[in-house]
Amino acid sequence: MAYYHRLGEIPPKRHTQFRQPDGSLYKEELVSSKGFSGIYSTLYHIHNPNEVKSIGKPTPYSWKPAKDHGLQQTHLKTSGVEITGEDYLTARRILMMNSDVMMGICTPKKRKMDYFFKNADGDELIYIHDGEGVLYSQFGKLTVRKGDYIVIPRTTIYKFEFKEEGPLRLLIIESHGPIETVKRYRNEVGQLLEHSPYCERDIRTPESLEVQKEKGDFLVQIKKQGMLHPYSYGHSPLDIVGWDGYLYPYALSIFDFEPITGRIHQPPPVHQTFQAWGFVICSFVPRLFDYHPLAIPAPYNHSNIDSDEVLYYAEGEFMSRKGIDRGSFTIHMGGLPHGPHPGTVEKSIGAKATEEYAVMLDTFKSLEITTDALEFVDKNYPMSWTE
């Protein structure tokens, strides 16, 4: 994250004595990135963070690409999917992937996790398409709701508790590298600039610490190298009395993203919301259309020569697409042109605004759909531009 935050009690100086009421030392833990050269936070535990009681047998937790899908524009009809698994981890279904990023859906039957999860393979971005609840981590409590992007740095120990009533639908993105705010929208000290489509006021950090002092048996499922490693600890990972630093989970609502518009059609980079190694994430939100007297609001045809484009349709009706429902994906692969469906260009002329919401993933390496995605493939989509 790009700015300093602190919660709870911390000593005046790092790496100095900080004692509990009984006279024993709090246990200091540094959580750092890029060795000791990237952003970091310093946490203070009641108990020793290395107090492992037992280590269970690892189980596979990975996805396989569908090698025979071939080069074709793809529509994944996931709008009707309801329950994808029993709990948060079994419900995660990755639908597309490359060496930099994985993307998929998650609709668990259980709304509360009875274990903690730590992703040691990558950063995560969770988009809450439907639902609301709380993210608990060692950095504190963060209330989350529909429309939120939740950025969870690698190795954060967390669990979700979602409200039982109402629909729940999550979009999952896992990144090999850090997920960051957009570099061109930051000044030399990391502050978001005046022309950024969002600012620090829109970013929600952990609100309060949930200090759990009791000893017991606490399961943390750790994802590493495509396996789940069950670790049982002698105390809760939420035994933090205080922390400070720049590394922590946070939320940014798509509803707080301010669109950039112009006299003629603006390209996707104006919608960029996050950056990472090998891909960007964009937000399409309600906005005024182009105001040149001869403007064509529908996007022009485009040939990707070095990227794949994925759109997850969240709300509204995209004027350039036919037959795409809320909660579905389109994947437009590099090497093929794509553009508006027949009839949508003329129909868009004269339109003043759109009420659409969508999350866009643009990768710079080719994506492959997974075997989990095959059941959702719309076989008619590659021919849908034929009038």
Side-chain angles (χ1 to χ4, degrees):
M1 192 46 223
Y3 64 90
Y4 174 83
H5 188 54
R6 63 183 284 178
L7 276 179
E9 299 178 61
I10 59 175
K13 293 285 285 184
R14 294 176 293 180
H15 321 319
T16 59
Q17 296 178 36
F18 180 34
R19 296 195 177 273
Q20 303 190 39
D22 65 1
S24 64
L25 289 169
Y26 286 110
K27 282 69 177 177
E28 185 182 57
E29 178 190 12
L30 178 71
V31 181
S32 67
S33 62
K34 300 178 182 177
F36 291 87
S37 301
I39 61 172
Y40 64 90
S41 288
T42 307
L43 295 75
Y44 295 89
H45 294 261
I46 294 172
H47 306 293
N48 187 342
N50 305 306
E51 189 181 338
V52 179
K53 292 182 70 175
S54 64
I55 302 174
K57 183 179 179 180
T59 56
Y61 194 68
S62 60
W63 291 265
K64 295 179 180 179
K67 293 295 186 182
D68 56 352
H69 180 64
L71 177 63
Q72 55 182 293
Q73 311 292 27
T74 302
H75 170 209
L76 299 181
K77 300 175 73 171
T78 49
S79 60
V81 175
E82 294 182 357
I83 301 301
T84 55
E86 184 67 20
D87 63 17
Y88 178 66
L89 290 182
T90 59
R92 288 163 67 119
R93 297 190 65 182
I94 297 300
L95 304 179
M96 60 207 78
M97 60 192 295
N98 64 21
S99 59
D100 294 323
V101 63
M102 301 191 297
M103 188 180 200
I105 55 177
C106 178
T107 305
K109 182 178 180 181
K110 291 182 178 179
R111 299 297 181 99
K112 295 182 179 180
M113 297 167 62
D114 54 9
Y115 55 86
F116 291 90
F117 177 55
K118 176 197 283 191
N119 193 332
D121 281 332
D123 280 29
E124 295 183 339
L125 185 143
I126 314 296
Y127 175 73
I128 301 185
H129 191 180
D130 288 311
E132 59 181 308
V134 176
L135 173 75
Y136 293 99
S137 77
Q138 71 266 52
F139 298 97
K141 172 185 175 182
L142 178 61
T143 303
V144 297
R145 52 188 178 261
K146 178 183 172 68
D148 278 351
Y149 293 109
I150 308 163
V151 178
I152 305 176
R154 183 190 315 246
T155 78
T156 299
I157 303 172
Y158 72 90
K159 67 177 178 180
F160 279 112
E161 290 188 3
F162 292 105
K163 290 187 176 180
E164 294 293 339
E165 65 273 11
L168 177 63
R169 181 186 291 263
L170 309 176
L171 178 68
I172 305 285
I173 297 174
E174 180 180 319
S175 171
H176 179 64
I179 296 173
E180 303 171 329
T181 56
V182 183
K183 185 176 181 180
R184 69 176 181 277
Y185 290 138
R186 302 194 302 254
N187 62 24
E188 67 273 12
V189 296
Q191 184 182 16
L192 290 164
L193 294 164
E194 273 290 295
H195 61 279
S196 170
Y198 58 90
C199 74
E200 286 82 1
R201 294 186 191 182
D202 301 313
I203 293 169
R204 306 197 319 272
T205 58
E207 305 140 15
S208 60
L209 290 173
E210 294 290 313
V211 184
Q212 297 181 357
K213 301 179 180 181
E214 68 272 16
K215 291 248 182 176
D217 198 348
F218 296 85
L219 176 62
V220 180
Q221 293 279 13
I222 303 174
K223 180 179 180 291
K224 182 71 172 178
Q225 297 177 328
M227 305 287 284
L228 276 181
H229 304 264
Y231 267 64
S232 178
Y233 287 86
H235 60 83
S236 169
L238 308 186
D239 70 332
I240 306 296
V241 297
W243 66 271
D244 73 335
Y246 284 65
L247 187 146
Y248 47 84
Y250 63 91
L252 169 69
S253 176
I254 197 171
F255 302 130
D256 288 327
F257 186 87
E258 300 299 334
I260 297 171
T261 60
R263 273 172 41 95
I264 59 174
H265 189 83
Q266 299 296 296
V270 302
H271 307 290
Q272 188 179 349
T273 313
F274 300 101
Q275 67 182 33
W277 299 348
F279 68 93
V280 300
I281 296 166
C282 302
S283 301
F284 289 86
V285 300
R287 61 196 181 278
L288 295 176
F289 277 144
D290 328 308
Y291 49 90
H292 187 283
L294 298 178
I296 300 175
Y300 35 77
N301 291 300
H302 177 215
S303 288
N304 305 346
I305 66 169
D306 55 8
S307 67
D308 288 358
E309 298 179 11
V310 180
L311 269 176
Y312 178 76
Y313 297 82
E315 312 291 344
E317 183 178 348
F318 260 60
M319 45 79 176
S320 62
R321 287 283 171 272
K322 296 177 180 178
I324 308 296
D325 296 322
R326 180 183 190 271
S328 290
F329 298 84
T330 57
I331 310 167
H332 297 134
M333 297 186 172
L336 295 173
H338 67 279
H341 275 145
T344 59
V345 174
E346 285 286 355
K347 185 180 177 181
S348 75
I349 294 173
K352 300 301 182 183
T354 177
E355 295 300 318
E356 67 201 16
Y357 285 92
V359 177
M360 184 179 188
L361 171 74
D362 248 16
T363 68
F364 304 111
K365 293 178 184 174
S366 295
L367 283 168
E368 295 180 281
I369 70 166
T370 66
T371 54
D372 276 30
L374 290 176
E375 65 180 282
F376 306 117
V377 172
D378 176 1
K379 292 182 169 47
N380 297 319
Y381 186 70
M383 308 302 173
S384 62
W385 283 266
T386 303
E387 298 192 54

